[in-house]
Amino acid sequence: MSNVVHTFTSTVPVWSPYVTPVDLASATPEQMAAMQVTPSNKGVSKYVLTLAHDPESLAVRSPLFNLIMYGKDGLSSAERELGAVGASVVNRCIYCAAVHASRFNGLTKRPDVIEAIFKDELDAKIEPREQAIFDFSARLSTTPSQLTQGDADALRKAGLDELEMLDLVLSSAIFGWANRLMHTLGEPLET
Amino acid sequence: MTSTTLIEQLAGIEPGSALAQALSTRAEVIRLSQASHDAVIVPREPGGLSHGLRAALAARMARQNADPALAAHYEACLARTGEVEAVPLSEPERQRITAILRHADMLTLSPRDATRADIEALKAAGVEEPDIVRLAELAAFVNYQVRVLAGLKVLRGNR
């Protein structure tokens, strides 16, 4: 049995569910549709098979997630990934943090940002614009009602426009969702 | 319900503002958020989590996040289900509901502390595996929605 990963890493672990995933061979047509299984796409992760227990949610969450994280214009892809990492650090979702840290690194080729975040977590010191993005995401993820005008002002001061700020709210918030699935329904194992 | 989505109703965005414009650029995100709301609050197949229980849990999660307007919305959803009468529960059902409630609180307030033991406790209390996933989706959605609304609130005032 592989060891559980308890510390932040940009090496993506293997996710192992605590509940029995849906068996692909006996999945209902609705579950197959929600998992987007087609004759040419039969590779389905354990995570998706687990979420297929609730096909109505999965069917709408997948396009929503993709639109928020990979949509065109607005906040850059790397900065959306940074929003995802901020939420995942607060919620201690090791798996989500690893996936989105590695995407951030792939997009920016600047591993120092993630190294600083994984070392000092919410106290990390990074470049001003990235600092504003990371801090906002962390504060929205911790106690949303305590978010203030000052947090939004910091984003504007760092040069974010209205659409970029909205995209940051969305990419941080969707990880309030993703972390609550990934981190509570299973665990990350060493590869 | 009107044709505007819940997020638009509760966010109170000034028409014609830069934020209103940004939101219209993201109209599909808002539409899919509404569809997600319907999938967790009034699903066609609720499993072991009735529409009334879902609305009651969502209202509690909104209150725990200090969002009274959102809590009022879910209380209205609960009232519409008609499941508001107190009914005596059998002992196994009381244990199942108690475990669901405890887990919902953890999902909202301290998800970082989640472990395998939390899921084992649900199973031991008779919560079926599909319902464990349904409960996680419900809590995860409401906590997403709370954050979208809280974010919009501070962006709205940021002119």
PDB file of all heavy atoms in Angstrom, chain B residues 138-159:
ATOM      1  N   LEU B 138     -23.509  18.880  -2.413  1.00  0.00           N
ATOM      2  CA  LEU B 138     -24.389  19.931  -1.880  1.00  0.00           C
ATOM      3  C   LEU B 138     -23.578  20.964  -1.096  1.00  0.00           C
ATOM      4  O   LEU B 138     -23.678  22.170  -1.335  1.00  0.00           O
ATOM      5  CB  LEU B 138     -25.460  19.291  -0.970  1.00  0.00           C
ATOM      6  CG  LEU B 138     -26.313  20.254  -0.137  1.00  0.00           C
ATOM      7  CD1 LEU B 138     -27.180  21.147  -1.025  1.00  0.00           C
ATOM      8  CD2 LEU B 138     -27.210  19.481   0.847  1.00  0.00           C
ATOM      9  N   ALA B 139     -22.761  20.488  -0.160  1.00  0.00           N
ATOM     10  CA  ALA B 139     -21.973  21.406   0.672  1.00  0.00           C
ATOM     11  C   ALA B 139     -20.964  22.175  -0.182  1.00  0.00           C
ATOM     12  O   ALA B 139     -20.747  23.376   0.015  1.00  0.00           O
ATOM     13  CB  ALA B 139     -21.251  20.632   1.773  1.00  0.00           C
ATOM     14  N   ALA B 140     -20.356  21.484  -1.129  1.00  0.00           N
ATOM     15  CA  ALA B 140     -19.345  22.122  -1.972  1.00  0.00           C
ATOM     16  C   ALA B 140     -19.983  23.213  -2.821  1.00  0.00           C
ATOM     17  O   ALA B 140     -19.446  24.311  -2.946  1.00  0.00           O
ATOM     18  CB  ALA B 140     -18.677  21.066  -2.849  1.00  0.00           C
ATOM     19  N   PHE B 141     -21.176  22.930  -3.362  1.00  0.00           N
ATOM     20  CA  PHE B 141     -21.853  23.951  -4.165  1.00  0.00           C
ATOM     21  C   PHE B 141     -22.204  25.176  -3.313  1.00  0.00           C
ATOM     22  O   PHE B 141     -21.936  26.308  -3.715  1.00  0.00           O
ATOM     23  CB  PHE B 141     -23.131  23.420  -4.840  1.00  0.00           C
ATOM     24  CG  PHE B 141     -23.928  24.554  -5.411  1.00  0.00           C
ATOM     25  CD1 PHE B 141     -23.534  25.152  -6.601  1.00  0.00           C
ATOM     26  CD2 PHE B 141     -25.003  25.106  -4.719  1.00  0.00           C
ATOM     27  CE1 PHE B 141     -24.199  26.272  -7.101  1.00  0.00           C
ATOM     28  CE2 PHE B 141     -25.671  26.224  -5.208  1.00  0.00           C
ATOM     29  CZ  PHE B 141     -25.264  26.799  -6.403  1.00  0.00           C
ATOM     30  N   VAL B 142     -22.820  24.966  -2.159  1.00  0.00           N
ATOM     31  CA  VAL B 142     -23.269  26.121  -1.362  1.00  0.00           C
ATOM     32  C   VAL B 142     -22.054  26.959  -0.939  1.00  0.00           C
ATOM     33  O   VAL B 142     -22.103  28.195  -0.960  1.00  0.00           O
ATOM     34  CB  VAL B 142     -24.106  25.687  -0.136  1.00  0.00           C
ATOM     35  CG1 VAL B 142     -24.455  26.897   0.732  1.00  0.00           C
ATOM     36  CG2 VAL B 142     -25.380  24.974  -0.582  1.00  0.00           C
ATOM     37  N   ASN B 143     -20.953  26.292  -0.623  1.00  0.00           N
ATOM     38  CA  ASN B 143     -19.753  27.042  -0.233  1.00  0.00           C
ATOM     39  C   ASN B 143     -19.128  27.789  -1.415  1.00  0.00           C
ATOM     40  O   ASN B 143     -18.547  28.859  -1.235  1.00  0.00           O
ATOM     41  CB  ASN B 143     -18.762  26.117   0.457  1.00  0.00           C
ATOM     42  CG  ASN B 143     -19.131  25.924   1.921  1.00  0.00           C
ATOM     43  OD1 ASN B 143     -18.885  26.803   2.740  1.00  0.00           O
ATOM     44  ND2 ASN B 143     -19.782  24.818   2.243  1.00  0.00           N
ATOM     45  N   TYR B 144     -19.282  27.263  -2.619  1.00  0.00           N
ATOM     46  CA  TYR B 144     -18.899  27.986  -3.841  1.00  0.00           C
ATOM     47  C   TYR B 144     -19.776  29.226  -4.003  1.00  0.00           C
ATOM     48  O   TYR B 144     -19.282  30.348  -4.195  1.00  0.00           O
ATOM     49  CB  TYR B 144     -19.058  27.045  -5.042  1.00  0.00           C
ATOM     50  CG  TYR B 144     -19.245  27.718  -6.390  1.00  0.00           C
ATOM     51  CD1 TYR B 144     -18.152  28.226  -7.093  1.00  0.00           C
ATOM     52  CD2 TYR B 144     -20.514  27.826  -6.976  1.00  0.00           C
ATOM     53  CE1 TYR B 144     -18.323  28.834  -8.340  1.00  0.00           C
ATOM     54  CE2 TYR B 144     -20.688  28.423  -8.215  1.00  0.00           C
ATOM     55  CZ  TYR B 144     -19.599  28.929  -8.892  1.00  0.00           C
ATOM     56  OH  TYR B 144     -19.774  29.530 -10.117  1.00  0.00           O
ATOM     57  N   GLN B 145     -21.087  29.025  -3.900  1.00  0.00           N
ATOM     58  CA  GLN B 145     -22.047  30.103  -4.117  1.00  0.00           C
ATOM     59  C   GLN B 145     -21.844  31.248  -3.114  1.00  0.00           C
ATOM     60  O   GLN B 145     -21.878  32.426  -3.484  1.00  0.00           O
ATOM     61  CB  GLN B 145     -23.444  29.493  -3.954  1.00  0.00           C
ATOM     62  CG  GLN B 145     -24.588  30.414  -4.235  1.00  0.00           C
ATOM     63  CD  GLN B 145     -25.899  29.730  -3.914  1.00  0.00           C
ATOM     64  OE1 GLN B 145     -26.006  29.003  -2.930  1.00  0.00           O
ATOM     65  NE2 GLN B 145     -26.887  29.956  -4.747  1.00  0.00           N
ATOM     66  N   VAL B 146     -21.608  30.886  -1.845  1.00  0.00           N
ATOM     67  CA  VAL B 146     -21.346  31.882  -0.815  1.00  0.00           C
ATOM     68  C   VAL B 146     -20.136  32.742  -1.207  1.00  0.00           C
ATOM     69  O   VAL B 146     -20.134  33.969  -1.035  1.00  0.00           O
ATOM     70  CB  VAL B 146     -21.072  31.180   0.540  1.00  0.00           C
ATOM     71  CG1 VAL B 146     -20.301  32.080   1.482  1.00  0.00           C
ATOM     72  CG2 VAL B 146     -22.367  30.705   1.173  1.00  0.00           C
ATOM     73  N   ARG B 147     -19.116  32.098  -1.770  1.00  0.00           N
ATOM     74  CA  ARG B 147     -17.884  32.814  -2.132  1.00  0.00           C
ATOM     75  C   ARG B 147     -18.068  33.685  -3.368  1.00  0.00           C
ATOM     76  O   ARG B 147     -17.509  34.777  -3.450  1.00  0.00           O
ATOM     77  CB  ARG B 147     -16.735  31.813  -2.288  1.00  0.00           C
ATOM     78  CG  ARG B 147     -16.225  31.391  -0.921  1.00  0.00           C
ATOM     79  CD  ARG B 147     -15.348  30.159  -0.920  1.00  0.00           C
ATOM     80  NE  ARG B 147     -14.876  29.922   0.448  1.00  0.00           N
ATOM     81  CZ  ARG B 147     -15.621  29.366   1.407  1.00  0.00           C
ATOM     82  NH1 ARG B 147     -16.842  28.962   1.145  1.00  0.00           N
ATOM     83  NH2 ARG B 147     -15.133  29.226   2.626  1.00  0.00           N
ATOM     84  N   VAL B 148     -18.848  33.213  -4.317  1.00  0.00           N
ATOM     85  CA  VAL B 148     -19.134  34.061  -5.485  1.00  0.00           C
ATOM     86  C   VAL B 148     -19.868  35.322  -5.013  1.00  0.00           C
ATOM     87  O   VAL B 148     -19.512  36.448  -5.397  1.00  0.00           O
ATOM     88  CB  VAL B 148     -19.974  33.302  -6.542  1.00  0.00           C
ATOM     89  CG1 VAL B 148     -20.412  34.245  -7.657  1.00  0.00           C
ATOM     90  CG2 VAL B 148     -19.165  32.140  -7.128  1.00  0.00           C
ATOM     91  N   LEU B 149     -20.864  35.139  -4.143  1.00  0.00           N
ATOM     92  CA  LEU B 149     -21.637  36.291  -3.662  1.00  0.00           C
ATOM     93  C   LEU B 149     -20.776  37.237  -2.824  1.00  0.00           C
ATOM     94  O   LEU B 149     -20.866  38.455  -2.971  1.00  0.00           O
ATOM     95  CB  LEU B 149     -22.850  35.805  -2.853  1.00  0.00           C
ATOM     96  CG  LEU B 149     -23.964  35.156  -3.694  1.00  0.00           C
ATOM     97  CD1 LEU B 149     -24.969  34.440  -2.792  1.00  0.00           C
ATOM     98  CD2 LEU B 149     -24.667  36.205  -4.560  1.00  0.00           C
ATOM     99  N   ALA B 150     -19.923  36.679  -1.962  1.00  0.00           N
ATOM    100  CA  ALA B 150     -19.056  37.524  -1.120  1.00  0.00           C
ATOM    101  C   ALA B 150     -18.059  38.288  -1.989  1.00  0.00           C
ATOM    102  O   ALA B 150     -17.761  39.468  -1.734  1.00  0.00           O
ATOM    103  CB  ALA B 150     -18.320  36.662  -0.093  1.00  0.00           C
ATOM    104  N   GLY B 151     -17.545  37.635  -3.019  1.00  0.00           N
ATOM    105  CA  GLY B 151     -16.603  38.288  -3.925  1.00  0.00           C
ATOM    106  C   GLY B 151     -17.278  39.417  -4.697  1.00  0.00           C
ATOM    107  O   GLY B 151     -16.748  40.530  -4.798  1.00  0.00           O
ATOM    108  N   LEU B 152     -18.473  39.143  -5.222  1.00  0.00           N
ATOM    109  CA  LEU B 152     -19.203  40.171  -5.979  1.00  0.00           C
ATOM    110  C   LEU B 152     -19.518  41.373  -5.084  1.00  0.00           C
ATOM    111  O   LEU B 152     -19.475  42.514  -5.531  1.00  0.00           O
ATOM    112  CB  LEU B 152     -20.506  39.594  -6.544  1.00  0.00           C
ATOM    113  CG  LEU B 152     -20.344  38.619  -7.710  1.00  0.00           C
ATOM    114  CD1 LEU B 152     -21.697  38.029  -8.104  1.00  0.00           C
ATOM    115  CD2 LEU B 152     -19.696  39.293  -8.913  1.00  0.00           C
ATOM    116  N   LYS B 153     -19.814  41.092  -3.831  1.00  0.00           N
ATOM    117  CA  LYS B 153     -20.160  42.177  -2.900  1.00  0.00           C
ATOM    118  C   LYS B 153     -19.002  43.171  -2.760  1.00  0.00           C
ATOM    119  O   LYS B 153     -19.220  44.377  -2.788  1.00  0.00           O
ATOM    120  CB  LYS B 153     -20.515  41.574  -1.535  1.00  0.00           C
ATOM    121  CG  LYS B 153     -21.133  42.535  -0.561  1.00  0.00           C
ATOM    122  CD  LYS B 153     -21.580  41.786   0.683  1.00  0.00           C
ATOM    123  CE  LYS B 153     -21.664  42.729   1.869  1.00  0.00           C
ATOM    124  NZ  LYS B 153     -21.762  41.982   3.138  1.00  0.00           N
ATOM    125  N   VAL B 154     -17.788  42.677  -2.624  1.00  0.00           N
ATOM    126  CA  VAL B 154     -16.666  43.625  -2.466  1.00  0.00           C
ATOM    127  C   VAL B 154     -16.257  44.233  -3.817  1.00  0.00           C
ATOM    128  O   VAL B 154     -15.783  45.363  -3.847  1.00  0.00           O
ATOM    129  CB  VAL B 154     -15.443  43.041  -1.723  1.00  0.00           C
ATOM    130  CG1 VAL B 154     -15.823  42.629  -0.315  1.00  0.00           C
ATOM    131  CG2 VAL B 154     -14.783  41.922  -2.472  1.00  0.00           C
ATOM    132  N   LEU B 155     -16.459  43.521  -4.903  1.00  0.00           N
ATOM    133  CA  LEU B 155     -16.150  44.119  -6.213  1.00  0.00           C
ATOM    134  C   LEU B 155     -17.151  45.223  -6.544  1.00  0.00           C
ATOM    135  O   LEU B 155     -16.821  46.232  -7.143  1.00  0.00           O
ATOM    136  CB  LEU B 155     -16.188  43.068  -7.325  1.00  0.00           C
ATOM    137  CG  LEU B 155     -15.160  41.942  -7.287  1.00  0.00           C
ATOM    138  CD1 LEU B 155     -15.183  41.176  -8.604  1.00  0.00           C
ATOM    139  CD2 LEU B 155     -13.758  42.476  -7.018  1.00  0.00           C
ATOM    140  N   ARG B 156     -18.400  45.011  -6.139  1.00  0.00           N
ATOM    141  CA  ARG B 156     -19.475  45.968  -6.408  1.00  0.00           C
ATOM    142  C   ARG B 156     -19.167  47.339  -5.798  1.00  0.00           C
ATOM    143  O   ARG B 156     -19.415  48.373  -6.408  1.00  0.00           O
ATOM    144  CB  ARG B 156     -20.772  45.415  -5.803  1.00  0.00           C
ATOM    145  CG  ARG B 156     -22.025  46.141  -6.170  1.00  0.00           C
ATOM    146  CD  ARG B 156     -23.191  45.530  -5.430  1.00  0.00           C
ATOM    147  NE  ARG B 156     -23.038  45.633  -3.983  1.00  0.00           N
ATOM    148  CZ  ARG B 156     -23.733  44.953  -3.089  1.00  0.00           C
ATOM    149  NH1 ARG B 156     -24.622  44.076  -3.473  1.00  0.00           N
ATOM    150  NH2 ARG B 156     -23.542  45.120  -1.794  1.00  0.00           N
ATOM    151  N   GLY B 157     -18.614  47.306  -4.604  1.00  0.00           N
ATOM    152  CA  GLY B 157     -18.322  48.569  -3.924  1.00  0.00           C
ATOM    153  C   GLY B 157     -17.010  49.181  -4.364  1.00  0.00           C
ATOM    154  O   GLY B 157     -16.651  50.274  -3.942  1.00  0.00           O
ATOM    155  N   ASN B 158     -16.297  48.490  -5.245  1.00  0.00           N
ATOM    156  CA  ASN B 158     -14.928  48.867  -5.585  1.00  0.00           C
ATOM    157  C   ASN B 158     -14.917  49.682  -6.866  1.00  0.00           C
ATOM    158  O   ASN B 158     -14.690  49.163  -7.940  1.00  0.00           O
ATOM    159  CB  ASN B 158     -14.116  47.575  -5.749  1.00  0.00           C
ATOM    160  CG  ASN B 158     -12.660  47.837  -6.030  1.00  0.00           C
ATOM    161  OD1 ASN B 158     -12.110  48.820  -5.541  1.00  0.00           O
ATOM    162  ND2 ASN B 158     -12.049  46.984  -6.813  1.00  0.00           N
ATOM    163  N   ARG B 159     -15.217  50.949  -6.760  1.00  0.00           N
ATOM    164  CA  ARG B 159     -15.250  51.796  -7.964  1.00  0.00           C
ATOM    165  C   ARG B 159     -14.210  52.887  -7.884  1.00  0.00           C
ATOM    166  O   ARG B 159     -13.857  53.317  -6.830  1.00  0.00           O
ATOM    167  CB  ARG B 159     -16.626  52.440  -8.111  1.00  0.00           C
ATOM    168  CG  ARG B 159     -17.659  51.434  -8.554  1.00  0.00           C
ATOM    169  CD  ARG B 159     -18.948  52.108  -8.911  1.00  0.00           C
ATOM    170  NE  ARG B 159     -19.991  51.850  -7.926  1.00  0.00           N
ATOM    171  CZ  ARG B 159     -20.682  50.740  -7.844  1.00  0.00           C
ATOM    172  NH1 ARG B 159     -20.438  49.758  -8.650  1.00  0.00           N
ATOM    173  NH2 ARG B 159     -21.629  50.584  -6.947  1.00  0.00           N
TER     174      ARG B 159
END
